[in-house]
């Protein structure tokens, strides 16, 4: 489930477009550029909050050395350059949207097109769809407790604590002045930043960070800030349960660290609306504990999930889409695919392969969308038409 997607009314208009790109990773961004050169405007969908795919999510600060003409640049820098390059063609980005279904529909001019629907109910009718969804959508890693679905979005959240607190308080207006018991699962940057931000920016929170390892997976700066706050609060590894005694609303927040793993979540009989009220966790000695909780943050990082692409009609091989390497079309009319999501003999999951595939796919898409047998091939260095489209002439 995409926990950060709000539900939408059913009455939203259907977006009509010539081309729709699924995925704003490097391949999807360059696809929008190549289509722009051929005069085709594109919409781009991605469940993340910004463009970049793996480059931004997995190695934003690391250097890449095999981009032609760029001896070295970071993942983030490459994405910024791709966004600058595509700017003249003004693709419309739809972030926070996960493509859920793709089905064939009749469309004027091309006889057949594709209807694409996102998880929140956004709907597009496109003459052509280009899948550039890479290794899948980066969704929050779930807790290993089957009951979590019952509490998701009510007392259990992913992402940042500030947003979660606002959502929690909207759903459960405060009835008592006792401290809010917040548990944060994880030892990586997002978990530790949430804990630090929680103590520094909010009052009256009892924050417990639980991590399966004794050491944190963060840099020295965050680690020191966290240790310093632990020193000011209750002692680390404190076995004492959270206090239930009332506290003034502006009492400083506290921080505790526990080394262990959550195994079960409970809604206690007396808890209103069967809301989450306790969790069971096992410590590093194998001892089981039960603790009270109001709000649970699951900050275990993101993991890519391919989702229902097998139901989108294209032929697959080992969870990857088979393509015709002449134009990167699939066996579904109007459906093209490029980048890490595809397979063909000799395919290499490299950024430059995605760029090459986008260039060839753009000619296939243009033929299909414009219903032409041939699309003129021109150089950007020589063509006044391309330079006009680029806004440099
Ligand atoms: C650690 C690491 C280092 C790497 N270093 C290099 C390197 O040095 N050089 C190199 O060439 N390659 C490198 N790669 C590989 C490179 O990152 C990939 O080949 C490249 O990112 C593929 O681009 P893509 O656009 O096809 O897919 P991705 O980058 O995976 O982007 C796909 C996008 O699609 C979105 N998406 C997924 N599912 C959906 C859906 N259902 N609806 C809407 N959007 C969706 C995702 O959120 C994502 O943003 C590295 C990879 C890793 C993991």
């Amino acid at each position: 489930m995409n926990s950060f997607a709000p539900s939408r009314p059913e009455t939203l208009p259907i977006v009509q477009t010539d081309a729709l790109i699924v995925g704003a990773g490097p391949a999807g961004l360059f696809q929008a550029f190549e289509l722009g050169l051929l005069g085709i405007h594109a919409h781009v969908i991605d469940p993340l909050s910004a463009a970049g795919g793996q480059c931004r999510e997995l190695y934003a600060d690391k250097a890449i050395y095999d981009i032609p003409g760029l001896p070295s640049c970071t993942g983030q820098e490459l994405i910024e350059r791709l966004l600058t390059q595509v700017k003249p063609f003004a693709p419309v980005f739809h972030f926070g949207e996960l493509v859920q279904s793709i089905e064939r529909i009749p469309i004027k001019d091309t006889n057949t097109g594709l209807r694409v629907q996102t998880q929140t109910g956004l709907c597009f009718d496109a003459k052509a769809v280009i899948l550039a969804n890479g290794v899948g959508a980066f969704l929050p890693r779930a807790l290993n407790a089957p009951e979590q679905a019952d509490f998701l979005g009510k007392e259990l959240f992913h992402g940042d604590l500030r947003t979660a607190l606002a959502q929690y308080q909207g759903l459960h207006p405060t009835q008592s002045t006792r401290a809010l018991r917040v548990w944060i699962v994880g030892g990586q940057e997002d978990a530790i930043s949430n804990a630090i931000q929680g103590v520094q920016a909010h009052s009256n929170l009892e924050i417990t960070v639980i991590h399966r390892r004794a050491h944190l997976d963060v840099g020295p700066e965050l680690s020191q800030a966290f240790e310093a706050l632990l020193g000011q609060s209750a002692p680390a590894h404190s076995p004492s349960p959270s206090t239930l005694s009332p506290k003034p609303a502006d009492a400083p927040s506290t921080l505790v660290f526990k080394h262990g793993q959550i195994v079960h979540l409970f809604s206690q009989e007396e808890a209103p609306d069967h809301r989450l009220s306790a969790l069971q966790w096992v410590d590093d000695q194998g001892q089981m504990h039960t603790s009270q909780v109001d709000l649970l943050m699951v900050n275990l990082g993101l993991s890519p999930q391919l989702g229902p692409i097998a139901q989108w009609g294209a032929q697959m091989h080992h969870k990857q889409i088979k393509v015709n390497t002449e134009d990167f079309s699939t066996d579904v009319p109007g459906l093209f695919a490029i980048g890490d999501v595809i397979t063909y003999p000799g395919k290499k999951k490299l950024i430059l392969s995605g760029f090459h595939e986008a260039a060839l796919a753009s000619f296939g898409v243009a033929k299909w969308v414009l219903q032409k047998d041939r699309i003129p091939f021109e150089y950007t260095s020589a063509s006044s038409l391309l330079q006009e489209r680029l806004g440099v002439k």
Side-chain angles (χ1 to χ4, degrees):
M1 285 287 288
N2 179 10
S3 62
F4 41 89
S7 62
R8 266 170 203 274
E10 276 170 24
T11 49
L12 277 180
I14 296 174
V15 179
Q16 310 285 338
T17 177
D18 281 342
L20 178 71
I21 300 168
V22 180
L29 292 177
F30 198 61
Q31 183 67 77
F33 173 78
E34 286 290 317
L35 287 173
L37 283 181
L38 299 184
I40 295 175
H41 181 251
H43 284 248
V44 187
I45 303 183
D46 203 294
L48 296 171
S49 58
Q54 294 173 57
C55 297
R56 179 174 170 268
E57 291 307 311
L58 303 180
Y59 54 100
D61 300 330
K62 292 218 170 95
I64 311 171
Y65 301 101
D66 55 353
I67 303 299
L70 262 182
S72 162
C73 74
T74 63
Q76 183 62 35
E77 189 187 343
L78 177 67
I79 295 308
E80 278 158 20
R81 283 171 180 264
L82 286 166
L83 284 168
T84 304
Q85 193 170 24
V86 78
K87 228 176 187 170
F89 305 124
V92 182
F93 288 100
H94 303 269
F95 291 117
E97 296 286 347
L98 179 76
V99 168
Q100 195 70 352
S101 69
I102 300 181
E103 54 186 3
R104 288 176 71 179
I105 49 156
I107 276 200
K108 219 174 88 197
D109 302 338
T110 50
N111 293 328
T112 167
L114 296 158
R115 175 160 292 176
V116 174
Q117 251 177 303
T118 70
Q119 193 160 21
T120 69
L122 257 195
C123 191
F124 299 81
D125 282 355
K127 290 179 184 168
V129 171
I130 306 96
L131 301 177
N133 50 325
V135 288
F138 291 93
L139 300 178
R141 217 172 246 127
L143 198 63
N144 201 7
E147 313 83 12
Q148 66 192 301
D150 299 343
F151 308 113
L152 188 63
K154 296 187 293 177
E155 296 89 31
L156 184 156
F157 300 90
H158 302 284
D160 77 290
L161 178 63
R162 193 158 45 93
T163 311
L165 278 170
Q167 282 181 328
Y168 179 88
Q169 277 152 2
L171 285 166
H172 311 296
T174 313
Q175 281 150 17
S176 82
T177 54
R178 72 162 169 78
L180 194 74
R181 295 160 303 200
V182 176
W183 279 62
I184 300 176
V185 192
Q188 295 175 355
E189 194 175 319
D190 47 353
I192 302 309
S193 303
N194 267 340
I196 293 170
Q197 193 260 345
V199 175
Q200 290 176 340
H202 300 273
S203 54
N204 220 14
L205 301 183
E206 268 184 25
I207 299 178
T208 304
V209 173
I210 182 164
H211 182 41
R212 63 194 166 88
R213 283 198 288 272
H215 71 274
L216 303 176
D217 303 325
V218 293
E221 235 172 75
L222 266 191
S223 180
Q224 277 163 21
F226 185 77
E227 295 291 335
L229 288 172
L230 271 184
Q232 293 163 21
S233 301
H237 306 285
S238 160
S240 62
S242 302
T243 172
L244 284 168
S245 56
K247 279 187 172 184
D250 58 353
S253 294
T254 59
L255 181 63
V256 176
F257 178 73
K258 292 186 194 296
H259 172 199
Q261 261 181 293
I262 293 177
V263 286
H264 280 301
L265 305 178
F266 301 103
S267 119
Q268 285 175 350
E269 287 292 305
E270 64 272 21
D273 319 323
H274 299 290
R275 74 172 67 161
L276 175 68
S277 54
L279 48 82
Q280 207 169 39
W281 58 280
V282 57
D283 67 21
D284 53 333
Q285 309 296 316
Q287 288 264 27
M288 201 69 95
H289 306 262
T290 301
S291 301
Q292 305 295 305
V293 61
D294 297 306
L295 189 159
L296 176 61
M297 294 299 302
V298 179
N299 292 134
L300 292 168
L302 301 173
S303 73
Q305 289 164 34
L306 260 181
I309 67 165
Q311 290 154 31
W312 296 348
Q315 229 188 325
M316 311 271 298
H317 179 69
H318 291 311
K319 296 190 178 169
Q320 283 175 312
I321 296 169
K322 285 174 120 179
V323 287
N324 172 354
T325 52
E326 199 180 316
D327 59 2
F328 291 87
S329 56
T330 69
D331 54 347
V332 176
L335 186 64
F336 297 77
I338 59 164
D340 276 13
V341 74
I342 61 170
T343 182
Y344 55 84
K347 164 72 184 171
K348 298 285 175 286
K349 289 188 179 182
L350 284 171
I351 296 164
L352 68 84
S353 312
F355 291 166
H356 162 78
E357 292 151 10
L360 295 201
S362 64
F363 283 88
V365 171
K367 276 191 195 172
W368 174 259
V369 167
L370 306 172
Q371 292 287 287
K372 288 190 174 164
D373 292 337
R374 212 186 129 263
I375 299 295
F377 169 74
E378 294 175 275
Y379 294 123
T380 55
S381 57
S383 160
S384 48
L385 174 65
L386 299 193
Q387 289 173 6
E388 234 168 71
R389 286 180 179 152
L390 282 163
V392 293
K393 200 173 148 56

